[in-house]
């Protein structure tokens, strides 16, 4: 009979639970703690631990906030640079702005509208930035705070913004529109001036056509009172702002893309759509002074050179001691279709073409002076590409590029998985850096990185953090993520253990994933022992050991036959893989288990016992760092490809690696290089299977299996890679919301295992039509079982926000699944593995080595590991693996395991202390393995019991061992499912952190499973988020927010409070350089003598007010709010007081002005009244 503890129910009711889904199991009980079930009348034994353990974490310890974003801005559109502050801003198509300075100074801000950023303009050395967005709004950002905020916005209602220009040290912004008009905005008040340059006034009256949108605005370097306006159709107008008329008009018969001034203000250059550059002299505007098509072929008959691609942008920069630089993008000849995007640098007669890997979005020339009327002295060019940022050194004749200090190459190959380790051993970062530094490239500029603005310090939290990213090309990158920065430490190429795939060969070992066969699917890292393990998409596992020494050695490899064997298929030796009859059954030998010796592929018809890839057989040179110790490959069985690996665990103390897929489980001894266990999931149960399923032939579904496997290939990680899958999110009821995703997968990757989110097994899922099936069965011997084009077949996947009745042809996630649903497909994926010192059976008095196994049906099995007693025998004596008979159950596929000691402290799995396997010192001392069996906190006494924490996609349970009593259960979600769950440490305590597919981030206390945090943070609109989200210790987490960017966040209140100290300052006080002395003669003859007063010209007194319907002013939140975030204590109070005083003074000033104007109008009225009185004083009534 199920009982529950009444005291716990009351505790649960008093605890504040933000989530409505908390509550107990079927035994009753409510509140945050869930129900406390004690089967078998063991209430007393189970109740005692609760009294001993004082849980210190409360909801006050938790708060969600984004910390920092790393990587390259996704889909960039705009670029700006402050030449005095030396900071760079990049705008994107999603409305984001990234501001970069010296390494560590990296700020991300987002427009609420999400509209694309059209243009960015710094208020040079003012700590402010203007952004123009595609929704025709201008925004003023305050950069004098660590988190920039919008001070003002101005939304244009009737016209579309096409170009903006803010002259240096001016407070008036020129705004060009699609209609060809130019408006002027006061930057301080963000109010439109009444001064407007209408297109029909700017062009000649005789012109019959509209000149097109404004594509360029700039004031003359010679005279600030002259504004150069470029129109798209080829018209350029020099407008005299004082006299309000055109001084000069120039016409060219090709569309204009950009305009650039010579610093003396006597000439300007235009770039055109036919690949030409025209140079114009102000004295003779009738025709261009010079016309060139730099990449055009000169015709023999003396005709004009042939047209080229448009020159999208040109910059014309002068030098005191050499020829000017003309730098432009585009303009290549049309006949070179395969030429890559390029930047051309013309310096005197030398023309250098720099070819780029990606299309050029924008570029800027960095100059020594911010003044437009001085020699520019360019020293570098910043080139913004679609997927990269490059800075070219102009001071050296070979134009080398600067080595980029930012982590913008995260996406060099698409990221397929991530792992995050906070508070790892402090010696790891320098060790990884030392082996990674040897791979540095040569040929960079020897100058300092020119984007060096801002200030950054380490802050208070400086524990070591490492992020590991796995990629589609098989590479793995280790990053130093300490103190909210990111720097690459080391890159490992896992594909190097395999022979290169030769295209076009009909090999017997044809790859089963046609593109990205080496993609990393899962990673497992033990920082203490430095053992690293990867599982690849082509069904292989590689175990790596770390060494500081280079070696030349052969790569050991094993082949494992892991297929769900059935009763009506005759295997060569059907007796070799029996279910365990009892716990003491002997294990078959490696030779018979691998099955690779006695089955050979039939001639051209059926593949059997062939791995997907070929491991190199010759000795391989392995540089210092991670070196492959063992490669384990799953093989084809009876013409079926191996299924992808869905779970992975390694233990260095035991010397074992375990992995599973939807067919079964394999355990390999990587010290002796032998397979210990390879069997189907059902055989693991033996007589303990709660469902008593009958094995059945998979022949019915075999025809789908190969195709279904390859649908999980990892080639389409980016939206820009042509093909997509439609993912249909089923909301309650029958409404479907279709969203494109970046993955070509059936949702097994969301959960990291083979069952899809609707619990379909590998061979169910949306099936192909019978025609497709027959085609699949007619495959030739050498062809891959799945062609890439088929992956885009209209495969719909149901993401599991569904009710039970909506699911067809799928397992039910609930534990009350009917037997008929199980009969539908008897495969059960291995979804979680965990090596641990634990109580394997109910009556055990001491802990022993165990492997915990979780399945897609919510089953938990414990396997006992019998290891040799002494270290000397470890290399020779066999390790025995046997089932303990223990089966625990949860609702939903199992995600994670953890173990707490009797005091509630997290117990870490045992590990071997790292020693260099190729050390020169071969003494007895170094060769002996040093094992750490328990974590230091619990090393004295493990106690007579421990807690097992198990979390599935639906619920979390805490069991007391060895009694196997379920102490606590918490139903986390009914309508959705968990994507990630991790047991993490925070503030010297431990909790369970969960990320749900409906976007909720939750934390639960341990062991009592009280909800501490539940925030709807991030709806999973993208498979990328689902695959890459991970938690780590100290309240940190991360996910890939776009294909090129990692977003880090914290769920710790303490870190949220300290975040301001950790972020870099974007603005630092710098003196604006003084303008050069122009000299008497230049001042006399070189330009306008009189100073140009924009205030007088554009102010309300002269120009009047702009039409209210033209644009709407929206005040921002960046005033007092920004100061509150940027400063604390007395300084913040003083600043707030000063702003308040300024505002009060401003209001008093406005009041004074109003009073003065009222007095003036009263005086005028009095004067008029007096005049009227005098006029009519002496007149008689009949004279009126």
């Amino acid at each position: 009979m199920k009982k529950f503890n009444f005291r716990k129910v009351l505790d649960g009711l008093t605890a504040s639970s933000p989530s409505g889904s908390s509550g107990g199991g079927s035994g009753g009980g409510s509140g945050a703690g869930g129900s406390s079930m004690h089967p078998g009348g063991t209430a007393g034994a189970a109740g005692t631990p609760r009294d001993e353990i004082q849980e210190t974490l409360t909801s006050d310890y938790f708060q969600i906030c984004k910390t920092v974003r790393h990587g390259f801005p996704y889909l960039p559109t705009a670029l700006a640079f402050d030449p005095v502050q030396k900071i760079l801003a990049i705008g994107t198509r999603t409305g984001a702005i990234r501001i970069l300075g010296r390494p560590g100074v990296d700020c991300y801000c987002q427009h609420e509208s999400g509209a694309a950023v059209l243009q960015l303009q710094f208020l040079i050395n003012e700590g402010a930035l203007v952004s123009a967005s595609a929704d025709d709004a201008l925004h003023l950002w305050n950069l004098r705070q660590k988190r920039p905020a919008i001070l003002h916005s101005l939304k244009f209602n009737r016209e579309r913004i096409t170009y903006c220009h803010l002259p240096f040290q001016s407070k008036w912004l020129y705004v060009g529109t699609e209609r060809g008009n130019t408006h002027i905005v006061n930057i301080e008040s963000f109010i439109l001036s009444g001064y407007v340059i209408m297109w029909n006034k700017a062009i000649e009256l005789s012109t019959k056509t509209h000149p097109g949108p404004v594509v360029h605005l700039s004031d003359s370097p010679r005279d600030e009172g002259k504004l150069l306006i470029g129109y798209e159709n080829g018209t350029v107008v020099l407008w005299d702002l004082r006299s309000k008329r055109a001084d000069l008009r120039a016409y060219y018969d090709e569309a204009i893309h950009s305009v650039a001034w010579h610093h003396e203000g006597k000439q300007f250059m235009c770039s055109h759509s036919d690949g030409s550059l025209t140079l114009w002299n102000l004295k003779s505007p009738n025709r261009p002074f010079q016309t060139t098509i730099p990449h055009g072929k000169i015709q023999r008959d003396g005709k004009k050179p042939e047209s080229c691609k448009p020159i999208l942008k040109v910059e014309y920069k002068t030098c005191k001691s050499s020829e000017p630089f003309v730098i432009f993008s585009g303009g290549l000849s049309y006949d070179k279709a395969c030429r890559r995007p390029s930047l051309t640098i013309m310096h005197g007669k030398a023309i250098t073409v720099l070819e780029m890997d990606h299309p050029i979005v924008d570029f800027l020339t960095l100059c020594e002076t911010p003044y437009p009327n001085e020699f520019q002295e360019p020293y570098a060019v910043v080139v913004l590409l679609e997927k990269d940022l490059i800075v070219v050194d102009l001071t050296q004749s070979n134009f080398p590029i600067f080595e980029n200090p930012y982590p913008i190459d995260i996406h060099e190959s698409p990221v397929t998985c991530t792992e995050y380790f906070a508070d790892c051993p402090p010696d790891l970062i320098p060790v990884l850096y030392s082996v990674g530094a040897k791979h540095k490239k040569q040929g960079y500029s020897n100058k300092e990185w020119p984007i060096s603005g801002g200030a950054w310090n380490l802050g208070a939290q400086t524990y070591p953090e490492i992020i590991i990213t796995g990629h589609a090309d098989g590479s793995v990158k280790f990053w130093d993520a300490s103190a909210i920065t990111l720097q690459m430490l080391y890159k490992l190429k896992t594909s190097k253990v395999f022979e290169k795939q030769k295209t076009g060969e009909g090999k017997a070992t044809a790859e089963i994933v046609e593109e990205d066969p080496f993609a990393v699917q899962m990673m497992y890292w033990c920082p203490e022992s430095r053992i690293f393990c990867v599982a690849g998409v082509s069904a292989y596992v590689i175990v790596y050991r770390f060494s500081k020494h280079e070696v030349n050695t052969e790569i050991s490899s094993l082949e494992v036959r892991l297929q769900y064997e059935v009763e009506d298929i005759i295997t060569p030796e059907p007796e070799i893989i029996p279910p365990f009859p009892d716990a003491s059954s002997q294990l078959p030998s490696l030779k018979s288990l691998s099955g690779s010796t006695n089955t050979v592929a039939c001639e051209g018809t059926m593949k059997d016992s062939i791995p997907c890839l070929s491991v190199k057989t010759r000795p391989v040179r392995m540089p210092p760092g991670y070196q492959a110790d063992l490669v384990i490959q799953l093989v084809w069985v009876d013409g079926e490809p191996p299924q992808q690996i869905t779970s992975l665990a390694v233990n260095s103390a035991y010397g074992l690696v375990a992995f599973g897929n939807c067919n079964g489980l394999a355990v390999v001894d990587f010290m002796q290089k032998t397979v210990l266990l390879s069997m189907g999931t059902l055989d693991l149960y033996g007589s303990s299977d709660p469902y008593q399923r009958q094995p059945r032939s998979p022949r019915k579904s075999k025809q789908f299996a190969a195709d279904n496997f390859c649908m999980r290939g990892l080639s389409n990680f980016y939206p820009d890679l042509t093909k997509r899958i439609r993912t249909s999110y089923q909301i309650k009821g029958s409404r479907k919301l279709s969203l494109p995703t970046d993955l070509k997968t059936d949702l097994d990757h969301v959960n990291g295992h083979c069952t899809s989110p609707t619990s379909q097994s590998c061979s169910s899922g949306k099936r192909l039509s019978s025609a497709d099936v027959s085609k699949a069965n007619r495959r030739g011997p050498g062809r891959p079982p799945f062609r890439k084009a088929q992956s885009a077949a209209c495969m719909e996947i149901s993401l599991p926000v569904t009710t039970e009745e909506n699911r067809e042809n799928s397992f039910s996630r609930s534990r009350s699944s009917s037997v008929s649903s199980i009969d539908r497909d008897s495969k059960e994926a291995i979804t979680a593995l965990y090596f641990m010192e634990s109580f394997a059976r109910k009556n055990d008095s001491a802990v022993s080595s165990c492997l915990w196994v979780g399945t897609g049906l919510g089953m938990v099995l414990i396997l006992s590991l019998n290891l040799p007693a002494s270290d000397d025998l470890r290399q020779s004596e066999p390790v025995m693996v046997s089932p303990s008979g223990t089966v625990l159950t949860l609702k939903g596929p199992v995600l994670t395991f953890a173990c707490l000691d009797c005091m509630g402290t997290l117990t870490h799995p045992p590990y071997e202390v790292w020693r260099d396997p190729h050390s020169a010192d071969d003494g007895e001392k170094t060769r002996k393995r040093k094992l750490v069996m328990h974590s230091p906190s619990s090393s004295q006494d493990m106690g007579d019991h421990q807690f097992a924490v198990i979390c599935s996609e639906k619920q979390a349970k805490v069991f007391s061992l060895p009694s196997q009593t379920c102490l606590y259960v918490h139903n986390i979600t009914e309508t959705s499912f968990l994507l990630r769950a991790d047991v993490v440490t925070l503030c010297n305590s431990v909790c369970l952190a969960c990320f749900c597919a409906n976007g909720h981030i939750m934390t639960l206390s341990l062991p009592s499973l009280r909800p501490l945090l539940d925030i709807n943070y991030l709806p999973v609109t993208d498979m990328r988020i689902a695959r890459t989200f991970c938690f780590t210790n100290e309240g940190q987490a991360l996910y890939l927010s776009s294909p090129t960017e990692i977003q880090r966040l914290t769920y710790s209140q303490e870190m949220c409070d300290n975040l301001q100290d950790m972020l870099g300052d974007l603005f630092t006080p710098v003196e604006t350089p003084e303008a050069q002395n122009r000299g008497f003669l230049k001042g006399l003859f070189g330009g306008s003598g009189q100073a140009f007063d924009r205030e007088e010209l554009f102010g309300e007194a002269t120009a009047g007010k702009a039409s209210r319907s033209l644009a709407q002013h929206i005040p921002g939140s960046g005033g007092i709010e920004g100061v509150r975030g940027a400063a604390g204590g007395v300084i913040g109070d003083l600043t707030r007081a000063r702003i308040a005083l300024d505002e009060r003074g401003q209001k008093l000033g406005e009041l004074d002005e109003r009073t003065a104007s009222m007095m003036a109008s009263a005086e005028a009225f009095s004067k008029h009244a007096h005049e009227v009185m005098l006029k009519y004083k002496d007149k008689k009534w009949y004279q009126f």
Side-chain angles (χ1 to χ4, degrees), residues 793-969:
C794 295
M795 191 175 106
E796 283 205 339
I797 305 148
S798 296
L799 223 136
V801 203
T802 76
T803 50
E804 294 291 333
E805 57 269 26
N806 282 342
R807 297 178 183 153
E808 292 177 8
N809 300 324
S810 69
F811 280 126
S812 162
R813 288 231 186 236
S814 94
R815 280 273 61 56
S816 59
S817 309
S818 66
V819 179
S820 61
S821 72
I822 290 152
D823 286 341
R824 223 173 279 140
D825 198 319
S826 38
K827 287 188 180 182
E828 183 176 2
I830 306 292
T831 59
L833 294 166
Y834 188 63
F835 286 104
M836 192 61 221
E837 293 286 296
S838 182
F839 298 95
R841 298 171 186 81
K842 256 191 181 179
N843 304 320
D844 284 2
S845 57
V847 293
S848 59
S849 305
C850 296
L851 172 62
W852 289 66
V853 180
T855 77
L857 288 179
M859 295 297 177
V860 177
L861 310 162
I862 304 177
L863 302 184
S864 289
L865 309 173
N866 192 355
L867 297 155
S870 70
D871 192 42
D872 305 332
L873 299 172
R874 180 64 185 84
Q875 292 289 355
S876 53
E877 290 284 312
V879 177
M880 307 301 294
V881 184
S882 57
S884 64
T886 299
V887 179
L888 307 172
T889 61
L890 281 86
K891 186 161 63 170
V894 179
L895 286 181
T896 194
F897 297 106
C899 208
L900 310 181
D901 65 13
C902 58
M903 302 305 295
T905 309
L906 185 63
T907 309
H908 295 285
Y911 63 89
E912 177 191 355
V913 176
W914 176 77
R915 59 193 169 90
D916 199 321
H918 306 299
S919 174
D921 178 13
D922 210 9
E924 192 62 37
K925 211 174 199 181
T926 55
R927 302 320 306 161
K928 196 160 177 70
R929 298 171 75 223
K930 185 182 174 187
L931 304 183
V932 177
M933 295 311 285
H934 308 301
S935 59
S937 63
S938 56
S939 57
Q940 285 134 20
D941 180 23
M942 276 296 287
D944 57 351
H945 67 271
Q946 59 181 192
F947 300 102
V949 181
I950 309 172
C951 186
S952 75
E953 290 183 7
K954 293 287 188 182
Q955 67 178 187
K957 282 187 178 181
V958 174
F959 292 90
S960 176
L961 300 179
S963 67
Q964 296 177 15
T965 308
C966 178
L967 293 179
Y968 305 100
V969 58

Side-chain angles (χ1 to χ4, degrees), residues 1002-1047:
M1002 293 165 273
T1003 59
L1004 305 172
S1005 72
L1006 289 176
S1008 67
L1009 299 177
R1010 283 180 300 110
L1012 300 170
L1013 172 81
D1014 185 349
I1015 287 182
N1016 188 1
Y1017 170 75
L1018 178 80
V1020 182
T1021 53
D1022 205 310
M1023 291 287 295
R1024 186 190 315 104
I1025 298 168
R1027 270 196 60 77
T1028 58
F1029 197 102
C1030 53
F1031 295 99
T1032 188
N1033 298 331
E1034 308 304 331
Q1036 303 223 58
L1038 68 79
Y1039 60 94
L1040 240 72
S1041 55
S1042 74
T1044 62
E1045 293 167 291
I1046 287 175
Q1047 176 69 57

Side-chain angles (χ1 to χ4, degrees), residues 180-434:
N181 303 325
T182 303
H183 299 276
I184 298 162
V185 177
N186 184 319
I187 286 295
E188 289 174 354
S189 62
F190 242 58
I191 292 170
L192 268 180
S193 163
Y195 192 113
V196 185
I197 305 168
M198 303 300 285
W199 68 270
N200 53 351
K201 299 276 176 62
I203 62 168
E204 280 185 322
L205 294 172
S206 57
T207 310
K208 291 180 181 176
T209 55
H210 189 278
V214 174
V215 294
H216 179 84
L217 291 167
S218 61
D219 52 342
S220 164
R222 199 176 180 199
D223 182 358
E224 294 174 340
K226 304 282 176 70
L227 182 69
L228 192 72
I229 308 170
Y231 295 97
E232 192 178 66
N233 75 349
T235 303
V236 180
V237 174
L238 186 65
W239 182 264
D240 189 325
L241 292 162
R242 296 183 196 89
S243 62
K244 300 185 183 177
R245 61 182 181 80
D247 254 15
L248 168 154
R249 293 185 182 93
Y251 298 97
Y252 193 70
D253 53 4
E254 290 290 341
I256 289 176
H257 283 281
S258 72
V259 184
W261 279 102
H262 186 281
H263 84 272
E264 289 178 349
K266 297 175 183 175
Q267 295 177 338
F268 60 87
M269 185 178 283
C270 301
S271 73
H272 299 278
S273 57
D274 64 344
S276 65
L277 295 172
T278 54
L279 188 62
W280 300 78
N281 199 317
L282 296 190
K283 288 182 179 174
S284 53
N286 295 331
R287 53 191 297 275
F289 169 68
Q290 185 184 331
T291 305
T292 54
I293 301 183
H295 294 298
K297 285 183 183 170
I298 297 166
Q299 309 288 0
R300 288 182 183 172
D301 51 4
K303 286 182 183 173
K304 182 181 166 186
E306 64 171 8
S307 293
C308 293
K309 293 175 183 174
I311 294 178
L312 300 175
K313 183 174 182 179
V314 65
E315 295 216 335
Y316 187 19
K317 301 296 180 186
T318 51
C319 305
K320 212 170 208 172
S321 55
S322 69
E323 296 283 323
F325 280 89
V326 175
I327 303 166
F328 61 87
S329 61
L332 293 180
S333 173
Y334 277 108
D335 65 353
K336 291 175 182 166
C338 299
R339 283 280 291 270
R340 294 193 291 180
S342 67
L343 185 82
T344 305
I345 301 172
M346 296 167 66
H347 188 218
K349 292 185 179 176
I351 298 182
T352 307
V353 178
L354 304 177
E355 290 195 336
M356 304 294 169
D357 291 334
H358 308 286
I360 296 171
V361 175
D362 198 358
F363 72 90
L364 285 174
T365 311
L366 309 188
C367 300
E368 297 288 356
T369 176
Y371 294 94
N373 57 356
E374 296 175 359
F375 279 104
Q376 297 298 287
E377 303 296 347
Y379 60 89
V381 182
V382 180
V383 189
L384 178 64
L385 309 176
E386 272 187 10
K387 291 184 182 176
D388 206 355
L389 179 73
I390 287 169
V391 183
V392 181
D393 186 352
L394 291 179
T395 60
Q396 297 178 46
S397 57
N398 60 337
F399 302 131
I401 64 169
F402 289 87
E403 186 170 11
N404 197 319
Y406 308 133
I408 58 168
D409 56 346
I410 291 169
H411 62 288
E412 189 177 19
S413 169
V415 176
T416 54
C417 55
T418 56
E419 292 295 337
Y420 190 6
F421 298 86
D423 213 5
C424 43
D427 59 334
L428 272 175
I429 288 175
V431 161
L432 286 167
Y433 185 76
S434 67

